[in-house]
């Protein structure tokens, strides 16, 4: 019996076979469900999908329309402060402005306060990566791989937190007062519990130290900040440093140039136990965040939420469009099927 390799020319080796192994998986012999499509199953799938999407879309739109919301643009009403902030040499000068508005009807339930920005592109690639997650976890203040040019000062002092996102943090202070019977009542606002649980408890950590100020020793605040990170909330140590809710909310960047971030929640106590009663209100704003140079605008929004979220009908509209498309496709297929069946019957005769 001849050797298999004896017939091969000298100097050439037998190549391994490229055929797949003789297994059920590689030979595609595994049991599988192979649906037999017919006109009944196809049409029922399209019509059921269309009915489902239309019903869900209508519910989402009605839910979004039931949200009570009031939006106040304070860019123009605080124009004097805006001009002051455009000059960087005035960073240490305080500027306050007030905006009056009226609620014609009660806003019942939980009321949320947002700040909104227009024409602020947080989705720029270099802006989005300008942060140090290792630093925000409290590991090492010197881990600043992507933070340039907001990584260190000229003398080598590292910034904490570093990066363009942290440096541009929204820092206007907004208070709300209720004006009734010639008296002014401060609306109680909650500044904690506004960030995602995973962000607050997993993604952000302060450096381990017996004293937060000593934990950040040897670092300096970002250039545009008015105070260091360990003084963001001196009254509540659980809301200070990297775990500050305002800071965490800002660090979750938006995908669009116009966006809103949760700022405060109305504390439902006393006169505001059921929400915000109708009447005259005033926003008191400590203006610090300039927007004129990038042609931006600022808003403050009071809104309620429902089971589907806030006042955003996009998801409902998307469901309605998808359901309408599926239903129309079902009717088109039905018409084609009836037309072809008539032709087949005619030729059979």
């Amino acid at each position: 019996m001849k050797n298999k390799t004896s017939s091969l020319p000298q100097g050439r080796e037998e190549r391994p076979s490229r055929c797949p192994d003789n297994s059920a998986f590689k030979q595609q012999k595994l049991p599988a469900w192979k649906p037999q499509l017919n006109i009944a199953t196809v049409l029922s799938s399209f019509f059921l999908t269309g009915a489902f999407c239309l019903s869900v879309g209508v519910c989402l739109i009605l839910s979004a329309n039931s949200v009570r919301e009031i939006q106040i643009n304070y860019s123009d009403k605080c124009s004097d402060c805006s001009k002051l902030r455009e000059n960087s040499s005035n960073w240490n000068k305080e500027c306050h402005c007030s905006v009056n508005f009226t609620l014609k009807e009660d806003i019942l339930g939980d009321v949320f306060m947002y700040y909104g920005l227009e024409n602020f592109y947080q989705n720029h690639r270099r802006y989005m990566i300008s942060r140090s997650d290792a630093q925000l976890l409290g590991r090492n203040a010197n881990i600043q791989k992507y933070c340039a040019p907001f990584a260190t000062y000229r003398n080598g002092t590292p910034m904490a937190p570093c990066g363009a996102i942290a440096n541009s943090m929204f820092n206007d202070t907004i208070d709300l007062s209720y004006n009734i019977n010639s008296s002014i009542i401060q609306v109680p606002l909650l500044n904690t519990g506004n960030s995602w649980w995973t962000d607050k408890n997993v993604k952000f950590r302060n450096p381990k130290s017996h004293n937060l100020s000593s934990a950040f020793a040897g670092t300096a605040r970002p250039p545009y900040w008015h105070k260091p990170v360990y003084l963001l909330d001196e009254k509540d140590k659980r809301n200070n440093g990297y775990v500050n809710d305002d800071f965490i909310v800002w660090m979750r960047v938006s995908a669009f140039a116009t966006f809103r971030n949760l700022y405060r929640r109305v504390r439902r106590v006393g006169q505001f136990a059921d929400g915000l009663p109708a009447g005259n209100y005033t926003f008191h704003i400590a203006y610090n965040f300039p927007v004129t140079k990038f042609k931006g605008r600022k808003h403050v929004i009071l809104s309620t939420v429902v089971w589907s979220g806030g006042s955003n009908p996009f998801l409902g509209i998307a469901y309605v469009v998808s359901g309408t498309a599926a239903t129309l496709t079902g009717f088109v297929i039905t018409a084609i099927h009836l037309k072809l069946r008539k032709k087949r019957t005619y030729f059979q005769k």
Side-chain angles (χ1 to χ4, degrees):
M1 184 175 179
K2 293 183 179 180
N3 193 345
K4 290 183 179 181
T5 59
S6 61
S7 60
L8 294 175
Q10 283 188 334
R12 295 185 61 183
E13 298 179 357
E14 183 180 6
R15 294 182 180 178
S17 174
R18 300 180 65 182
C19 295
D21 296 335
N22 189 20
S23 63
F25 177 76
K26 293 188 177 181
Q27 294 296 335
Q28 300 183 14
K29 295 179 180 178
L30 290 175
W33 177 61
K34 299 178 181 179
Q36 300 297 323
L37 297 179
N38 53 44
I39 190 64
T41 57
V42 171
L43 289 179
S44 60
S45 299
F46 274 103
F47 285 122
L48 288 175
T49 301
F52 173 77
C53 290
L54 285 172
S55 58
V56 173
V58 170
C59 292
L60 288 173
I61 291 175
L62 293 176
S63 176
N65 290 336
S66 66
V67 173
R68 293 291 310 281
E69 180 176 298
I70 180 170
Q71 180 171 305
I72 306 294
N73 186 324
Y74 67 92
S75 300
D76 297 332
K77 296 181 180 180
C78 298
S79 57
D80 292 338
C81 290
S82 178
K83 293 177 182 178
L84 179 71
R85 285 288 171 256
E86 290 307 317
N87 188 348
S88 58
S89 62
N90 297 325
W91 67 271
N92 58 343
K93 296 181 180 179
E94 294 185 358
C95 190
H96 299 267
C97 58
S98 300
V99 180
N100 300 317
F101 66 98
T102 301
L103 287 181
K104 296 181 180 180
E105 298 179 358
D106 296 346
I107 300 182
L108 302 177
D110 294 327
V111 182
F112 299 83
M113 181 189 294
Y114 302 82
Y115 61 84
L117 291 176
E118 290 183 12
N119 208 37
F120 191 94
Y121 288 86
Q122 283 192 314
N123 56 3
H124 191 282
R125 185 184 66 86
R126 291 193 63 187
Y127 180 89
M128 292 178 64
I129 66 173
S130 185
R131 59 186 291 163
S132 173
D133 291 319
Q135 185 191 57
L136 297 176
L137 282 170
R139 294 176 181 172
N140 190 343
N142 294 317
I143 303 176
Q144 304 165 338
K145 184 177 179 181
Y146 300 106
C147 289
F150 301 103
T152 60
Y153 285 93
R154 292 182 179 179
N155 60 0
T157 304
M159 298 181 190
C162 69
I165 305 177
N167 183 58
S168 60
M169 177 182 168
F170 183 85
N171 57 352
D172 283 0
T173 302
I174 306 172
D175 294 318
L176 179 63
S177 62
Y178 179 43
N179 310 321
I180 180 173
N181 299 329
S182 300
S183 61
I184 299 176
I185 301 174
Q186 193 76 15
V187 179
L189 301 174
L190 296 172
N191 64 340
T192 57
N194 301 324
S195 59
W196 290 25
W197 185 91
T198 52
D199 288 349
K200 184 82 171 181
N201 297 278
V202 178
K203 294 184 179 180
F204 292 81
R205 287 280 188 274
N206 284 323
K208 293 182 179 179
S209 178
H210 67 283
N211 190 334
L212 195 58
S213 60
S214 62
F216 289 98
T219 65
R221 58 176 175 80
Y224 291 171
W225 284 31
H226 295 166
K227 52 187 176 182
V229 65
Y230 54 85
L231 295 180
L232 289 179
D233 190 350
E234 300 180 73
K235 298 179 181 179
D236 187 357
K237 64 179 182 179
R238 295 172 298 179
N239 190 45
N240 203 3
Y242 292 150
V243 295
N244 178 263
D245 273 48
D246 292 338
F247 175 69
I248 293 175
V249 169
W250 178 259
M251 293 300 291
R252 182 173 284 276
V253 297
S254 172
F256 302 99
T258 298
F259 61 92
R260 64 176 64 178
N261 284 336
L262 182 58
Y263 181 68
R264 295 289 184 268
R265 292 176 294 125
V266 174
R267 187 180 179 189
R268 298 177 63 177
V269 294
Q271 197 164 0
F272 309 99
D274 297 325
L276 291 179
N280 298 319
Y281 290 84
T282 302
F283 283 121
H284 303 279
I285 302 164
Y287 198 105
N288 295 307
F289 193 86
V291 295
T292 306
K293 287 186 178 180
F294 57 87
K295 298 180 181 179
R297 301 183 70 81
K298 294 192 289 188
H299 310 271
V300 59
I301 303 109
L302 293 174
S303 176
T304 59
V305 295
V306 290
W307 62 272
S308 60
S311 178
N312 188 355
F314 173 78
L315 188 58
I317 294 173
Y319 267 102
V320 169
V321 171
S322 301
T324 303
T327 304
L328 290 177
T329 303
F331 281 117
V332 171
I333 294 175
T334 302
I336 295 173
H337 171 68
L338 293 175
K339 185 176 181 180
L340 293 176
R341 189 172 66 175
K342 286 182 180 179
K343 285 185 178 180
R344 193 181 306 112
T345 304
Y346 174 78
F347 285 116
Q348 287 175 352
K349 291 180 179 179

